[in-house]
Amino acid sequence: MPTSHLAGPVLVIGTGLLGTSVGLGLRAKGVAVYLQDISPTAQAVAHDIGAGQPLDSEARVAPELVVIGAPPDVTATLVAESLLKYPNSTVVDIASVKGSILDAVNADVRLSDADRARYVGTHPMAGREKSGPAAARGALFTSMPWVICAHQLASAASVKTAEALAIDLGATLHRMDVTDHDESVALTSHFPQAASSMIASRLLNAQAHQLGLAGNGLRDMTRIAASDEKLWIQIFSHNAKALIPILSGMKEDLDRLINTLNNPTGHGALLDLSQLMSEGNAGQARIPGKHGAPPQAFALVTVVVDDKPGQIAALVADIGEAGINLEDMRMEHSAGHQVGLVDVSVLPGRRDELINVLTNNGWKVAQ
Amino acid sequence: MPTSHLAGPVLVIGTGLLGTSVGLGLRAKGVAVYLQDISPTAQAVAHDIGAGQPLDSEARVAPELVVIGAPPDVTATLVAESLLKYPNSTVVDIASVKGSILDAVNADVRLSDADRARYVGTHPMAGREKSGPAAARGALFTSMPWVICAHQLASAASVKTAEALAIDLGATLHRMDVTDHDESVALTSHFPQAASSMIASRLLNAQAHQLGLAGNGLRDMTRIAASDEKLWIQIFSHNAKALIPILSGMKEDLDRLINTLNNPTGHGALLDLSQLMSEGNAGQARIPGKHGAPPQAFALVTVVVDDKPGQIAALVADIGEAGINLEDMRMEHSAGHQVGLVDVSVLPGRRDELINVLTNNGWKVAQ
């Protein structure tokens, strides 16, 4: 059994996708887990797939840690109730917004500052387009960022327990205060979600043959528009303050672009468009690379493959046998055709070697 | 030598990424290709990589087809000059905008309607983040849409020649008039590009540690923001008319969202947010699936792999040996970690079988 930093037991309240994934991950580490959900079905599913033991709401346990895995709008209440019910437990929540929950915990008159010292807000940056306990997986947090927001009253011991949870689940620790967290996720997660939904909305009235021209660009821009409505309306409303300045900045850019396009041959129009593109280039280049490394352009090699079983396998096997690491791989989807292109990304220094290997193995490398 | 629909020779004027790729693809089909570019370097590179024979601007040839692969702002002039210089040739252009070029060809007083009958505007929906002849590849158009815009004066013979070009290069034909084309690409290509650039612009002033939380959502939304500035400012300005209503629709959504978030607990606020998400869900669901099939949700299976050579190869080999077709594959990139998650997409009916195969082969399937 792998060693864990948490001693357990851990009580997970709310067995949706994230709570159940916490249970599965901790069970794999040998930590005892109790499960509780207002939905008997969700609780039973989480139990059935091995996320822990169901806990009757009247049962008396003394967990080391209580994890609140509930929607943002009920999280603060469940945190407060757990702090009162389990007077020796650390209580963490894993909701995507932190400021509004901390404000509510601080405003709850039932709690003493000694109670609040046992609360730590956290946010694992993991999720799926699916929701519910059946979509849970113990490895959901593996190598993903997990933000720990130690507030002013939080005790060192409780912060350490919260961090042990993230470490036991294989996540990467990020320490931030709640404001910094909320502004960071507004920019890197909530704003992209809102933008993707607004972009996808534009497709509602398009004619079907127009959408036949959709390529990877549009697909990438609208993928997260398929996300869960119920969760996101809460995230948006709880993080409104941090989202508004970002959306307003985009609105200014959009206003400027529409004005420019209303007179595309006017003085300064091309300069305005050039600025739009170059600012986008520069912003995109700031996103960190894999493994926290500086942004790095991988070398891209494109291979033509038949769309049938075994082709991708044979391709990747040839790359692997040459000892070249595959940094990324994308298949180009397009309508009406059975032949496909696969973009293979490798470190730039291995590019020529890769092309040689593939060509010698009979692959059609596009170039 | 594979048989071609074009008899040749074909003259490619403008040996950038697309023009050179046309040359490479036609040479692979055995069609004779002449190359011409105002940049002697670009012309020499295209020749060196096998895209065709350089043509001196004073040489006398009688091409079956002239392909103009130039930026939008000089395309109409080159079309007109080619129609005059090669009185028996079909002339096509491959620029991303069609209405403004046809307008200019129709307005050019040097041309007769008999000349205009030999012109066909076309648009291959292919490209790369890179530009220039060195990035060209003969398979660039394989299985990608190629729009043929036969205008009122175009002769049936010239349209057939234009279509033969697309077919010889392995593309999928789409027939549209210029207005329909310009509106379709405004929605599926030009608008996503503008939106991606505006989203990436927001990252310019972010602090580095905030960007450490970037996940696949933000990466997908900003990937095409890295595109070529010079090309896109021309596309935006030439397709302004079709872009404005789409951008204005997004601006209305953005205004509504900002208003809602200014009073997130107000009457109707959650309903507004719900509408934003559900419209995005519905719009996203309209994008056609692979091979022109109706949108289809593939089943996703997530596998934990070590980030070292051979792991992905072994995984894909096991999938291939089971006779299961890999519909898509994504690697989850995250900062600071050497362990990775790979999302494997297969047809829903093969999901359970895949999980069995992987588990039996010792893979850690997340669930």
Side-chain angles (χ1 to χ4, degrees):
Chain A
M1 190 67 75
T3 48
S4 63
H5 292 76
L6 288 172
V10 172
L11 168 59
V12 174
I13 299 180
T15 57
L17 169 69
L18 294 181
T20 305
S21 295
V22 167
L24 287 170
L26 291 178
R27 288 301 304 131
K29 283 278 199 174
V31 178
V33 176
Y34 296 113
L35 303 170
Q36 199 170 59
D37 197 288
I38 49 163
S39 156
T41 306
Q43 184 176 303
V45 170
H47 169 58
D48 285 350
I49 64 176
Q53 290 301 315
L55 181 74
D56 186 278
S57 57
E58 300 310 312
R60 279 203 253 170
V61 292
E64 176 192 20
L65 171 67
V66 180
V67 178
I68 309 295
D73 60 349
V74 296
T75 294
T77 302
L78 289 170
V79 166
E81 288 173 3
S82 299
L83 287 170
L84 293 169
K85 186 166 184 180
Y86 304 105
N88 298 309
S89 303
T90 292
V91 176
V92 307
D93 78 294
I94 53 175
S96 309
V97 289
K98 297 272 72 82
S100 62
I101 292 168
L102 179 61
D103 288 348
V105 168
N106 280 334
D108 195 313
V109 294
R110 296 172 294 175
L111 300 175
S112 67
D113 280 357
D115 292 328
R116 295 186 182 100
R118 292 181 289 112
Y119 165 65
V120 183
T122 82
H123 178 200
M125 305 285 294
R128 304 182 65 178
E129 277 91 359
K130 294 182 193 174
S131 59
R137 55 199 200 194
L140 189 71
F141 310 105
T142 304
S143 80
M144 305 305 278
W146 194 313
V147 185
I148 307 289
C149 295
H151 59 103
Q152 278 192 311
L153 296 173
S155 74
S158 285
V159 173
K160 198 177 168 193
T161 302
E163 295 185 349
L165 172 68
I167 293 166
D168 278 349
L169 294 171
T172 306
L173 284 187
H174 291 247
R175 298 180 180 96
M176 295 184 181
D177 67 34
V178 291
T179 305
D180 195 9
H181 167 273
D182 284 0
E183 290 177 358
S184 299
V185 294
L187 184 66
T188 59
S189 166
H190 307 173
F191 167 61
Q193 176 63 54
S196 185
S197 296
M198 285 186 278
I199 292 164
S201 295
R202 305 274 75 72
L203 307 180
L204 275 179
N205 298 317
Q207 293 180 283
H209 76 275
Q210 297 188 308
L211 295 175
L213 299 187
N216 277 342
L218 182 66
R219 281 173 219 278
D220 281 352
M221 299 296 292
T222 55
R223 186 177 61 83
I224 55 175
S227 298
D228 182 49
E229 174 185 325
K230 286 196 282 295
L231 174 65
W232 277 99
I233 64 176
Q234 291 191 34
I235 293 175
F236 290 147
S237 67
H238 278 256
N239 205 18
K241 202 176 136 196
L243 262 170
I244 289 171
I246 304 167
L247 294 169
S248 301
M250 172 130 186
K251 194 190 146 190
E252 279 172 32
D253 278 6
L254 201 47
D255 274 332
R256 192 178 60 181
L257 178 58
I258 293 170
N259 278 338
T260 302
L261 292 179
N262 271 316
N263 186 10
T265 55
H267 180 71
L270 293 181
L271 190 64
D272 276 353
L273 296 175
S274 170
Q275 196 179 340
L276 167 77
M277 286 301 300
S278 63
E279 285 180 1
N281 288 169
Q284 195 272 344
R286 292 199 65 203
I287 299 176
K290 203 177 167 189
H291 307 152
Q296 180 178 37
F298 294 122
L300 201 72
V301 173
T302 303
V303 188
V304 186
V305 296
D306 291 342
D307 183 26
K308 63 183 186 191
Q311 286 293 296
I312 307 286
L315 171 66
V316 184
D318 286 347
I319 299 169
E321 272 163 32
I324 299 174
N325 200 21
L326 199 54
E327 299 293 342
D328 205 354
M329 181 162 152
R330 306 234 19 195
M331 300 179 201
E332 291 188 15
H333 286 205
S334 66
H337 232 278
Q338 294 290 330
V339 174
L341 297 181
V342 177
D343 284 330
V344 172
S345 296
V346 296
L347 289 176
R350 310 298 296 271
R351 180 178 173 277
D352 293 346
E353 185 186 349
L354 175 65
I355 292 174
N356 278 338
V357 165
L358 294 179
T359 308
N360 292 340
N361 281 290
W363 291 99
K364 199 167 158 191
V365 177
Q367 178 96 258
Chain B
M1 192 66 78
T3 47
S4 63
H5 292 76
L6 288 172
V10 172
L11 168 60
V12 175
I13 299 180
T15 58
L17 169 69
L18 294 181
T20 304
S21 295
V22 167
L24 287 169
L26 291 178
R27 288 302 304 131
K29 282 279 199 173
V31 178
V33 176
Y34 296 113
L35 304 169
Q36 198 171 60
D37 198 286
I38 49 163
S39 157
T41 306
Q43 183 176 303
V45 170
H47 168 58
D48 284 350
I49 64 177
Q53 289 301 315
L55 181 74
D56 186 277
S57 57
E58 300 310 313
R60 281 203 251 170
V61 291
E64 176 191 20
L65 171 67
V66 180
V67 178
I68 309 295
D73 60 351
V74 296
T75 294
T77 302
L78 289 170
V79 166
E81 289 172 2
S82 299
L83 288 169
L84 294 170
K85 186 166 184 177
Y86 305 104
N88 298 310
S89 304
T90 293
V91 176
V92 306
D93 78 294
I94 54 175
S96 309
V97 289
K98 296 272 71 81
S100 62
I101 292 168
L102 179 61
D103 288 347
V105 169
N106 281 334
D108 195 314
V109 294
R110 296 172 295 175
L111 300 174
S112 68
D113 281 357
D115 293 328
R116 294 187 184 101
R118 291 180 290 114
Y119 165 64
V120 183
T122 83
H123 179 199
M125 306 285 294
R128 304 182 65 178
E129 277 91 0
K130 294 181 193 175
S131 59
R137 53 200 202 193
L140 188 72
F141 310 105
T142 304
S143 80
M144 305 304 277
W146 194 312
V147 186
I148 307 289
C149 295
H151 59 103
Q152 279 191 310
L153 297 172
S155 73
S158 284
V159 172
K160 198 177 167 193
T161 302
E163 294 186 350
L165 172 69
I167 294 166
D168 278 349
L169 294 172
T172 306
L173 284 187
H174 291 248
R175 298 181 181 95
M176 296 184 181
D177 67 35
V178 290
T179 305
D180 195 9
H181 167 272
D182 284 359
E183 289 176 0
S184 298
V185 294
L187 185 66
T188 59
S189 166
H190 307 173
F191 167 61
Q193 175 63 55
S196 185
S197 296
M198 285 185 279
I199 292 164
S201 295
R202 305 273 77 69
L203 308 180
L204 275 179
N205 298 316
Q207 294 180 285
H209 76 275
Q210 298 188 308
L211 296 175
L213 300 187
N216 276 343
L218 183 65
R219 281 172 220 277
D220 281 352
M221 299 295 293
T222 55
R223 187 177 59 83
I224 55 174
S227 298
D228 182 49
E229 176 186 324
K230 285 196 282 293
L231 173 65
W232 277 98
I233 64 176
Q234 291 190 34
I235 293 175
F236 290 147
S237 67
H238 277 255
N239 205 18
K241 203 176 136 194
L243 262 169
I244 289 170
I246 305 167
L247 293 169
S248 300
M250 172 130 185
K251 193 189 147 189
E252 278 172 33
D253 278 5
L254 201 47
D255 273 332
R256 193 178 61 183
L257 178 58
I258 292 170
N259 278 337
T260 301
L261 293 179
N262 270 317
N263 186 11
T265 56
H267 180 69
L270 293 182
L271 191 63
D272 277 352
L273 296 175
S274 170
Q275 195 180 339
L276 166 77
M277 287 301 299
S278 62
E279 286 180 1
N281 287 169
Q284 195 271 344
R286 292 199 65 204
I287 299 177
K290 204 177 168 189
H291 307 154
Q296 181 179 36
F298 295 121
L300 200 71
V301 174
T302 302
V303 188
V304 186
V305 296
D306 291 341
D307 182 23
K308 63 184 185 190
Q311 286 294 295
I312 307 286
L315 171 66
V316 185
D318 286 348
I319 298 170
E321 273 163 31
I324 299 174
N325 199 21
L326 198 54
E327 299 292 342
D328 206 354
M329 181 162 152
R330 305 237 13 197
M331 301 180 200
E332 289 188 17
H333 285 206
S334 66
H337 232 278
Q338 294 291 329
V339 174
L341 297 180
V342 177
D343 284 331
V344 172
S345 297
V346 297
L347 288 176
R350 309 299 297 273
R351 180 177 172 278
D352 293 346
E353 186 188 349
L354 175 65
I355 292 174
N356 279 338
V357 165
L358 293 179
T359 308
N360 291 341
N361 280 290
W363 291 99
K364 199 167 158 192
V365 176
Q367 179 96 257

